[in-house]
Amino acid sequence: MGLKLLTRNTRNVAPTEAGEQLIATLRPAFDDIDARLSALSALRERPAGTVRITSSRHAAETILWPSVGSLLKNYPEVTVEISVDSYLTDIIADRFDAGVRLGEQVARDMIAVRIGPELRMAVVGAPSYFENHGRPRTPHDLTRHPCINIRMATKGGLYTWEFGQGGRDLNVRVEGPLILNDVPMILNASVEGIGLACVMEDQADDLLKTGKLLRVLEDWCPPFSGYHLYYPDRRQLPPAFKLLVDALRYRG
């Protein structure tokens, strides 16, 4: 071009008038390049990838979904797979990144992060049931009441109803005409007056509010450790997994 763009002396180098004009002309292009490079860097730093979690249905519905649903809207590069089952899955053998279970069920060699409040059990029955059978006053009275048993997926046996009062724990093996492994069916059977049921407090909440079920032995049902996210010890958590842990962490 034959134009001198820089002027040089013994102390510094500075653009000439032609150089200043060239810089002014190219500055928008440089700014655009810089913005695009920043966008690419931010995209590279945004969490991405798939996180696999195994969880019970109750935990998935009440704890996981509210947080995961919000997270996925803000981080479209993250994929979360939730496998719902009631078994104590071996997350390492089955290649899950984490599991969600009650605190008492988490193995000691796992890192556990609390993700929900304490829980309580509730013993419930239909008004018609209590009219016919009366109300149990203590857990011992349950041995004289027809109850709806729960088949446990984790061990295959029947759930032993657990109570506590004043630091004293009490377990009761109940009997009755029906054994189920599905909470909605258990509640439906209890509403029909088949027998007493023992479920999570929040699972019976709507039926208690409408009066279709009534609660007994409430003072024998203390709170217990709620749901925890558990996973093997790792020195470095993948960004997508760390994001999920932070989103689920209980701050109540």
Side-chain angles (χ1 to χ4, degrees):
M1 296 175 58
L3 294 175
K4 188 175 182 181
L5 302 178
L6 299 173
T7 178
R8 185 192 306 268
N9 58 37
T10 57
R11 293 185 177 182
N12 57 33
V13 177
T16 63
E17 182 178 354
E20 290 283 6
Q21 292 180 8
L22 179 62
I23 291 173
T25 300
L26 294 178
R27 181 169 288 116
F30 287 140
D31 290 343
D32 182 62
I33 291 172
D34 184 63
R36 290 177 182 273
L37 289 174
S38 297
L40 288 174
S41 177
L43 181 62
R44 184 176 63 251
E45 294 171 358
R46 285 175 63 85
T50 299
V51 180
R52 301 185 69 233
I53 302 175
T54 173
S55 170
S56 67
R57 180 172 297 281
H58 183 248
E61 292 177 345
T62 61
I63 303 295
L64 284 184
W65 176 243
S67 295
V68 170
S70 299
L71 182 147
L72 295 180
K73 293 178 182 177
N74 296 321
Y75 296 90
E77 296 88 2
V78 174
T79 298
V80 178
E81 177 184 343
I82 301 174
S83 177
V84 175
D85 65 68
S86 299
Y87 297 92
L88 295 179
T89 303
D90 185 333
I91 61 173
I92 296 177
D94 292 337
R95 304 182 67 180
F96 284 99
D97 296 292
V100 175
R101 291 293 182 269
L102 296 173
E104 63 189 28
Q105 296 176 330
V106 177
R108 293 183 179 180
D109 60 344
M110 293 285 174
I111 294 177
V113 178
R114 184 181 177 185
I115 62 174
E118 291 185 325
L119 299 171
R120 293 182 72 194
M121 300 302 289
V123 178
V124 297
S128 60
Y129 173 88
F130 294 119
E131 290 176 5
N132 296 326
H133 300 274
R135 292 177 175 237
R137 301 300 177 184
T138 72
H140 293 291
D141 295 339
L142 292 172
T143 58
R144 298 191 296 271
H145 284 261
C147 298
I148 302 169
N149 261 304
I150 306 172
R151 178 71 68 184
M152 301 294 290
T154 52
K155 298 180 180 179
L158 299 180
Y159 170 61
T160 300
W161 294 17
E162 301 171 274
F163 300 95
Q165 190 180 76
R168 174 192 175 197
D169 293 331
L170 179 64
N171 296 335
V172 179
R173 293 185 180 276
V174 299
E175 296 183 358
L178 189 61
I179 301 173
L180 297 168
N181 67 350
D182 179 76
V183 171
M185 291 185 67
I186 290 170
L187 290 171
N188 288 338
S190 189
V191 168
E192 292 296 322
I194 301 299
L196 297 179
C198 185
V199 297
M200 295 278 193
E201 186 178 53
D202 64 309
Q203 293 174 320
D205 191 51
D206 290 341
L207 293 170
L208 290 170
K209 288 179 178 178
T210 59
K212 292 182 178 180
L213 289 176
L214 301 177
R215 187 171 184 177
V216 293
L217 303 177
E218 185 171 356
D219 57 340
W220 281 92
C221 297
F224 57 90
S225 178
Y227 290 114
H228 287 65
L229 183 81
Y230 66 96
Y231 54 92
D233 188 9
R234 298 172 180 171
R235 291 185 178 180
Q236 188 71 28
L237 296 178
F241 183 67
K242 184 177 184 300
L243 180 74
L244 184 63
V245 173
D246 291 340
L248 289 171
R249 191 183 304 274
Y250 181 66
R251 296 175 174 84

